[in-house]
Each structure stands twice: as C-alpha cells, then as structure tokens.
Amino acid sequence: MPNLNAIQVKNIKFRYDLRLDHHVLSDVSFVVEKGKWVSIIGENGSGKSTLARLLVGLLPPESGSIFINNQLVDEQSKGQIRKKLGIVFQNPDNQFIGTTVEDDVAFGLENQQLSYEEMHNRVAEALKVVDMYEHRAKDPSQLSGGQKQRVAIAGVLALQPEIMIFDESFVMLDPLSRRELLESLQLIQAQYDLTIISITHDRNEAALADKVIVLEQGKLISEGAPANIFAEEKKLTPPFAEALRRRLATAGVSIPNHYMSEEELVDWLCK
C-alpha cells in the first residue's frame, strides 16, 4: 500500500545559536496525511514559525529529518521540493515583486513555461478566490494590509502547489474576510486534494482543521482532532463555539457535556 503521508517529521532538533544549549525545537515528530488540513498552535516562542521554515528548507535541522512526499529534504533536494510547496508569511510586504497586482501573482509562474492563456487563467482564478480580481491593475503599494495579504495568498494559489503552508497568514484580515477566505480555501483543498499546514493563534481557524498539533517551548505536547485537543487540553483557549458552550453550562443551561463545533452548537441552539 503506498505511503499517503505528504509530510513526515522525524525527531527534529533545531537551535539558532549552536553555542547555546537552548533548542527552539526538541525531538519534534509528526506526520501529515495527503489532502488533510493541519493547524499548528502554541504560544509565542513555541517554535511554530521556525518549524515552517524547516519544512520548506529555509533552515536546516540540527538533527532529525523531514520528508516531503517521501523525499528527504536536504541541500540537494530542496530546490525540487519547493516546487511542490507554497508558503505565505505573516508580512505580505516581504513577498511583493510586481508593479501591479496581477503582475505580482504571475511572477512565480513565469519560469514554468506556461502558455500566456494558461498563466492568465491561473492568475484570474487565484485573484477571484481571494476576492482581489477587481484590484488586479492596482499598484500593490496602494493596497491595505489585508488586501496585500490576499494578493500574497493568490500568488501561491496560482502556482497550484501540492502543499500550502500559512504562517499566521490571516492575522491582518478582518473576521468576516478571514472567514470567507478560509471557506474558499476549504473548497480548493477538497477540489485539488491539497495539503494545508496552518500555523495560527486563531482557535476558530484551528477548529476547522482535520488535526491540531500543539507546541510548547519547542516540544510537541499534543496532537489530534480539534474536538479531542480542545476537550482534553483545558489550558488551551477554546474556539468561540466551545467557549460559549462552557459558559452556558456554567450558567446552568442544560447543554451537552462535550466539545461542540460551531455547526453543532448552532444546530443545538436552533432546536
């Protein structure tokens, strides 16, 4: 039976200064199945963003190994592996190159020997997904922070990678825009069997994932389905729906005594 893991992380250790005994990541291991959405959560300094950079080969691990589609990430392979990966960072200004929005989204496609028509279609489709098509002729410097982030996401979507990594990529969006974009990404994920890694502080975003990984001071302390993680890890701030369920229970409302997703809570309240 073929291996269905898009990512395998085995006993990763990393520290920025080899002279110090402080490891940003210590013996971290996990797998991400193909076509799944995995959220990585943890407090500042837990190693989340460092892990993202290790996954795409921007940093080499001190020890341990990372496999992307069963291929070891190392100096020889990382160029080829990056063609399968797309990463969107928190600050979109670091990713702009083009003089217009559509030029910027098209930039990553120019070395793929695509026809003009194919490139044009990919750019248009990606901009429509992030609701920026009407701004395609604008100079990126004229955009708001949230709009710039949408364009950065479109630039990665246009490449049609097998794996997308979002490193706090939605933090600049207002709640409604964030929700709409996440819903669009869920549809794209299902359509293209896309694997998504979402590094986030947003518990509502994490609740949408197939699996949640919890990092604490560089160590993986828990992983599992959102319902299990937020039910068992009481010190974690839960998503809004679960927080509301707990408050209702504390107030004496006869509500089910188990984790509830937003959809489940709405269904229960509407009964």
Side-chain angles (χ1 to χ4, degrees), residues 176-189:
L176 178 58
S177 296
R178 183 185 308 171
R179 183 186 186 95
E180 291 174 346
L181 185 54
L182 288 170
E183 288 175 351
S184 295
L185 288 174
Q186 284 181 303
L187 293 175
I188 292 172
Q189 179 201 14

Side-chain angles (χ1 to χ4, degrees), residues 28 32 41 52 62 83 137-138 142 196 202-203 210 213:
V28 172
V32 177
I41 64 175
E62 180 182 337
K83 296 178 181 179
K138 285 188 176 180
Q142 299 175 340
I196 292 179
D202 187 334
R203 300 302 193 248
D210 298 299
I213 291 173

Side-chain angles (χ1 to χ4, degrees), residues 115-180:
S115 67
Y116 173 81
E117 183 180 7
E118 172 69 10
M119 189 180 300
H120 177 79
N121 290 341
R122 284 204 196 184
V123 170
E125 181 181 1
L127 286 172
K128 288 175 182 177
V129 167
V130 300
D131 197 26
M132 287 297 294
Y133 184 72
E134 299 302 321
H135 302 275
R136 61 191 181 279
K138 285 188 176 180
D139 184 330
S141 65
Q142 299 175 340
L143 304 177
S144 68
Q147 289 174 326
K148 289 178 180 179
Q149 193 64 293
R150 286 174 174 270
V151 174
I153 293 169
V156 175
L157 285 173
L159 294 171
Q160 297 183 355
E162 297 176 31
I163 301 168
M164 290 192 69
I165 300 174
F166 297 100
D167 186 6
E168 299 286 2
S169 305
F170 310 112
V171 69
M172 299 182 71
L173 303 178
D174 62 82
L176 178 58
S177 296
R178 183 185 308 171
R179 183 186 186 95
E180 291 174 346

Side-chain angles (χ1 to χ4, degrees), residues 22 24 40-50 90 167-168 171 199-203 215-218:
H22 172 66
V24 180
I40 301 176
I41 64 175
E43 299 301 322
N44 289 334
S46 61
K48 304 187 302 301
S49 291
T50 298
Q90 181 175 346
D167 186 6
E168 299 286 2
V171 69
I199 294 170
T200 181
H201 281 89
D202 187 334
R203 300 302 193 248
L215 294 181
E216 185 177 288
Q217 296 181 350

Side-chain angles (χ1 to χ4, degrees), residues 32 45 75 77 86 114 138 148 156 172 175 190 195 200 212 254 261:
V32 177
E75 281 299 316
S77 67
L114 301 174
K138 285 188 176 180
K148 289 178 180 179
V156 175
M172 299 182 71
T195 303
T200 181
V212 175
S254 180
S261 66

Side-chain angles (χ1 to χ4, degrees), residues 53 142 267:
R53 285 159 174 77
Q142 299 175 340
D267 286 345

